[in-house]
Amino acid sequence: MKNFAKIFAAVALTASLFTLSSCSKKNANTLYIYNWTYYTPDSLLRKFEKEFNCKVKMDNYATCDEMYAKLRAGAKGYDLVVPSNDFVSIMLKQGMLRELDQSKFTNRDKINPIILEKCDYDPEMKYAVPYAISATGIMVNKTKVTNPNYSRSYDIFADPQFAGHATMMDEMREVIGCALAYNGYDLNSTDDAELDAAYKTIMTDWKKNLTKFDAEGFGKSFASGDFWLCQGYPEIVFGEVDESRWEETIDFFIPEEGGPATCDSFVILKDAPHYELANEFINFFHNPENYAVFIDEFRYPCVVNLEAKKYTVKPGMYPDEQAYACVLKQDLGEDLDKYHELWQKIRFGD
């Protein structure tokens, strides 16, 4: 897709370095996973190794753009990858994925059908099995607000009490999507008039209060007291604040208009050298007791594998109901260029 041409060019020169030298016939019993950083409990990897008498090797990426570019540039040797739903759609269209072995997927019935309805690119799980729903929302530092009766809508970003202490994600689909939802539109809209309304909301009402757009460091800045209002993934903030202070410090909510969400999914690459192990790992991960370990470590709402909830021992960062209210960011194809153009004006305009 032309939207990723610049990414391809940036990695092309180093593509030859992105191979797994240890992935050979000598390592037929080694599973190679390419996943988000800090996204799989190490205890589950070790348990899988023991149960299946194998080794698991993990490489990590920080964004789906990074993962996708590396694979398209020629990286070989990976078996399992965990892309977000819009990238699953892209990878499916480009023939990058292999169908799952359904005979191995005995935990298929544990996957929540409501989540599968949202995954309209592969609702029958022929190629992709949901891993987790990750929703963005709003975090308010309750110890810093002067007026506790703040709005629980996106218009909180126009509240002057947060001026100079507010941030939104440095991610175009997130910010523009929030503004579309606030204006009553589909957050995946490609309608020019609706996108223009979203742009005006951001530039006229919100941006004047923002310190910056920040996708990574806002958790630390929230914990230090520099940021009082953040839009983003809650785990980034909750992970930086001591759990004993969560209730007194953090007010997390998904605005009444809804908001963007991502469904990360297991997929097996077309040329996966260890196809059988990859299928076994997907099924192993969705054993309810194993999935509960993942939920307890990352404190996501337990909405993908409902049976796992009875094995969890820690409360989630936010109620399950809020995750259901969110809308998945969809693959927009060439219309994504509209977002790129608009984002440049937002990021660098006055």
Side-chain angles (χ1 to χ4, degrees), residues 36 44 66 69 75 114 160 187 233 254 283-284 290 318 347 349:
W36 299 84
L44 288 184
E66 176 188 340
I114 295 176
L187 61 82
Y233 292 106
I254 294 174
N283 193 61
F284 166 87
N290 292 336
Y318 53 95
R347 288 289 276 107

Side-chain angles (χ1 to χ4, degrees), residues 86 135-138 153-155 157 168-191 194-203 206 213 231-233 254-262 325-330 332 335-336 338-340 342-343 346:
D86 50 341
T136 57
I138 293 174
S153 165
Y154 286 113
D155 61 10
F157 287 99
M168 298 186 78
M169 290 189 71
D170 191 5
E171 210 284 319
M172 64 183 183
R173 294 295 303 280
E174 286 288 331
V175 177
I176 297 173
C178 290
L180 284 166
Y182 174 70
N183 282 282
Y185 305 132
D186 182 349
L187 61 82
N188 292 298
S189 175
T190 58
D191 180 86
E194 294 177 359
L195 287 170
D196 184 61
Y199 169 76
K200 289 177 180 176
T201 293
I202 296 166
M203 298 301 289
W206 298 353
F213 295 102
Q231 178 266 331
Y233 292 106
I254 294 174
E256 57 198 35
E257 302 93 347
T262 295
C326 292
V327 177
L328 295 186
K329 291 174 287 185
Q330 302 295 334
L332 301 180
D335 280 333
L336 191 63
K338 294 182 179 181
Y339 281 72
H340 282 295
L342 204 58
W343 187 237
I346 292 169

